[in-house]
Amino acid sequence: TQLLEQSPQFLSIQEGENLTVYCNSSSVFSSLQWYRQEPGEGPVLLVTVVTGGEVKKLKRLTFQFGDARKDSSLHITAAQPGDTGLYLCAGGYGDMRFGAGTRLTVKP
Amino acid sequence: KAGVTQTPRYLIKTRGQQVTLSCSPISGHRSVSWYQQTPGQGLQFLFEYFSETQRNKGNFPGRFSGRQFSNSRSEMNVSTLELGDSALYLCASSLISFGGLNEQFFGPGTRLTVL
């Protein structure tokens, strides 16, 4: 079973701060996805990273896939209250596995 | 394009009853996966259906079952409900890519409460 470990589990910051969350595994993934979930809703796909070393940017969010395709990170610049939510990384094919998530709170 | 829809959104049942949840995938998506989400266990994979066949199954008891119809719509059934089955049940559809991508698009979920 391919396990994904996310850190930190909880993160509470002030608006305007930068942050990084991590997703690590001992297994190699052909791709990893990042999702954001808000209370009472389903996760929403943010990005898919495929190539080792790949960096993708989505406005203030920067996603990186490790060279060995075992880990990924999400960096948010100048966080805003609208970034508040549960950030999940996921990988696998057919039986998708999810990390436990990082619960981010951005205070105004 | 319409997103993934799930019905009902909320459900309250008592122990011992059974429940059926429904999921309509995004048009053109042939793969449907089901997940259980609880505060303690997070998002856990239940099963995946593709072209009416169960292709993958997670580590859940046989009380959890599902099926997929020819129009790709899927149902999930839980029999003999237990208190621990209270959870958010999420359905996700994907356009299977045999290049290794499995981008999943989730519905809003069905919140099941077992009393």
Side-chain angles (χ1 to χ4, degrees), chain A residues 2-57:
Chain A
Q2 298 170 311
L3 295 177
L4 290 164
E5 295 185 357
Q6 290 189 244
S7 62
Q9 190 177 356
F10 297 95
L11 193 53
S12 181
I13 61 172
Q14 292 295 133
E15 182 176 1
E17 293 183 6
N18 301 333
L19 66 115
T20 303
V21 299
Y22 300 93
C23 173
N24 296 294
S25 175
S26 58
S27 302
V28 176
F29 286 89
S30 59
S31 65
L32 280 180
Q33 286 89 46
W34 283 92
Y35 295 81
R36 182 173 73 200
Q37 184 179 22
E38 298 189 22
E41 299 296 327
V44 175
L45 178 66
L46 296 174
V47 77
T48 299
V49 285
V50 178
T51 306
E54 181 179 12
V55 176
K56 280 191 174 179
K57 292 192 176 184

Side-chain angles (χ1 to χ4, degrees), chain B residues 57-74:
Chain B
K57 189 177 189 304
N59 190 26
F60 278 82
R63 299 185 297 107
F64 292 81
S65 64
R67 59 177 175 168
Q68 187 181 32
F69 302 95
S70 58
N71 62 359
S72 293
R73 191 177 70 83
S74 177

Side-chain angles (χ1 to χ4, degrees), chain B:
Chain B
K1 237 181 204 182
V4 177
T5 58
Q6 290 187 248
T7 56
R9 289 294 309 274
Y10 302 92
L11 206 49
I12 300 175
K13 292 285 187 178
T14 56
R15 280 181 298 174
Q17 287 187 310
Q18 75 163 14
V19 66
T20 299
L21 312 181
S22 181
C23 171
S24 291
I26 292 172
S27 178
H29 286 194
R30 294 169 62 191
S31 171
V32 173
S33 298
W34 287 91
Y35 298 85
Q36 181 195 66
Q37 187 175 33
T38 60
Q41 299 296 320
L43 248 165
Q44 292 190 292
F45 172 77
L46 281 157
F47 28 66
E48 184 222 4
Y49 285 87
F50 180 79
S51 292
E52 302 178 64
T53 301
Q54 185 181 91
R55 291 205 307 180
N56 292 284
K57 189 177 189 304
N59 190 26
F60 278 82
R63 299 185 297 107
F64 292 81
S65 64
R67 59 177 175 168
Q68 187 181 32
F69 302 95
S70 58
N71 62 359
S72 293
R73 191 177 70 83
S74 177
E75 288 183 346
M76 185 192 119
N77 184 276
V78 187
S79 62
T80 319
L81 284 166
E82 300 177 0
L83 295 179
D85 296 334
S86 294
L88 181 67
Y89 289 89
L90 292 160
C91 164
S93 74
S94 65
L95 183 64
I96 287 292
S97 162
F98 294 99
L101 290 181
N102 186 18
E103 296 177 332
Q104 306 219 322
F105 296 86
F106 284 83
T110 294
R111 171 72 63 187
L112 172 65
T113 302
V114 182
L115 302 176

Side-chain angles (χ1 to χ4, degrees), chain A residues 48-105:
Chain A
T48 299
V49 285
V50 178
T51 306
E54 181 179 12
V55 176
K56 280 191 174 179
K57 292 192 176 184
L58 184 65
K59 296 183 181 177
R60 293 175 295 99
L61 279 60
T62 302
F63 303 86
Q64 187 161 8
F65 202 12
D67 290 342
R69 290 184 290 133
K70 291 184 178 181
D71 57 89
S72 182
S73 64
L74 158 59
H75 180 81
I76 301 179
T77 303
Q80 299 178 359
D83 296 327
T84 293
L86 178 66
Y87 289 81
L88 297 157
C89 66
Y93 189 84
D95 58 344
M96 183 81 81
R97 304 294 171 174
F98 281 78
T102 292
R103 191 165 296 280
L104 171 65
T105 302

